Amino acid sequence: MKRISAPRRTASLSAQLVDSLRSHIETGGWPVGTRIPPEQDLMEELGVGRSTLREAIGALVHLGLLEPRAGDGTYVRSSSELQSVMVRRASSVQRDKVLELRTVLEEYASGAAALRRSEEQLQQLRELLADAEEAGADEDTTAATGVDALFHRAVVRASGNDLLIEVYDYLGTALTSSLGGLPWDATHAEEHARLHRRLVDAIESRDADDARAAAAAIVQLTRDHETTPPQAAEDQ
């Protein structure tokens, strides 16, 4: 099991411990959703006192990386401060605002992907597209939502912009999975699949303009879907 780096003995022992624990979380030493070791175990492993440890843990709770649960210990809530802040912020605004942000990020990323994608990345998009269409045929929308999230992350990764990839990864839940929840009627589902095929085709042919247009249309379809009750769409 990966060990935590013990802090150096200086006047700012607590601050060093915060940095050490934060690095341990960011590098996956404690994955998101797991419970951190008990206080006594950490004190013995790190060679620090109770007050120093509690001060450091409190700082990480304030940063949004850790979450104390009464009677159940402390859990890892997020892998980075940026992720915690951005996801919390995106979850606190109207869904339409999240869709607007998704349009900006995905439209740019899709155009960049068309210009920079590798053959390997293109093949991955083709495979994810096939997986999405297969999942879309199932009545359970959970699998389809998950594959769709993987598809759009793959598009962003193909953009080659490391900072954009990092930001999108941090907002992944807010920008994809959290926007689901409504059943797709047959008309919306087919249009959704068609636009995704158009996006991959544009990326393959290195048509940045059409890739951006397809990405924007996908988000607009999601927005229209969320404001149109499924029964109403079927009656049209």
Side-chain angles (χ1 to χ4, degrees):
M1 180 178 177
K2 182 180 178 181
R3 294 183 59 82
I4 309 169
S5 300
R8 296 186 302 276
R9 300 287 178 176
T10 68
S12 56
L13 187 62
S14 177
Q16 288 188 60
L17 182 56
V18 169
D19 289 339
S20 179
L21 294 177
R22 179 168 50 196
S23 176
H24 190 69
I25 292 171
E26 290 177 347
T27 57
W30 290 337
V32 174
T34 61
R35 182 172 59 186
I36 70 173
E39 186 177 80
Q40 188 61 41
D41 291 355
L42 287 174
M43 289 168 54
E44 293 175 2
E45 179 179 353
L46 299 172
V48 297
R50 191 178 306 277
S51 61
T52 299
L53 178 61
R54 288 184 174 178
E55 184 177 348
I57 295 296
L60 293 174
V61 169
H62 179 71
L63 291 173
L65 301 186
L66 296 178
E67 177 184 18
R69 300 179 185 176
D72 193 27
T74 300
Y75 286 75
V76 180
R77 179 181 182 183
S78 175
S79 62
S80 77
E81 299 158 62
L82 180 59
Q83 181 184 41
S84 176
V85 171
M86 295 182 75
V87 170
R88 184 168 62 247
R89 179 67 180 119
S91 300
S92 68
V93 300
Q94 295 177 345
R95 289 159 74 89
D96 194 58
K97 301 298 183 183
V98 177
L99 284 166
E100 287 184 5
L101 176 58
R102 181 179 171 185
T103 301
V104 172
L105 296 181
E106 292 194 11
E107 187 174 344
Y108 175 83
S110 296
L115 299 176
R116 302 170 183 167
R117 56 83 180 164
S118 66
E119 289 300 321
E120 181 180 356
Q121 289 170 329
L122 178 61
Q123 179 60 31
Q124 182 186 28
L125 288 174
R126 286 291 182 194
E127 292 173 356
L128 287 170
L129 181 62
D131 291 344
E133 293 186 350
E134 181 179 351
D138 196 320
E139 291 184 0
D140 182 6
T141 60
T142 303
T145 299
V147 176
D148 189 66
L150 292 175
F151 174 86
H152 287 286
R153 282 191 174 94
V155 172
V156 174
R157 289 185 181 281
S159 74
N161 185 318
D162 292 340
L163 183 57
L164 177 60
I165 293 168
E166 184 177 6
V167 170
Y168 193 87
D169 278 347
Y170 287 154
L171 280 172
T173 300
L175 294 178
T176 53
S177 300
S178 67
L179 292 173
L182 291 175
W184 288 83
D185 60 80
T187 301
H188 275 105
E190 176 53 36
E191 180 65 5
H192 188 258
R194 186 189 70 79
L195 288 172
H196 280 69
R197 290 193 295 269
R198 174 186 169 187
L199 174 57
V200 175
D201 288 344
I203 291 175
E204 180 175 18
S205 61
R206 300 193 184 280
D207 187 338
D209 290 339
D210 196 48
R212 286 192 292 267
I218 289 171
V219 181
Q220 184 59 50
L221 181 67
T222 302
R223 179 178 296 165
D224 293 343
H225 170 59
E226 292 217 334
T227 57
T228 303
Q231 186 59 50
E234 293 174 0
D235 294 340
Q236 290 178 359

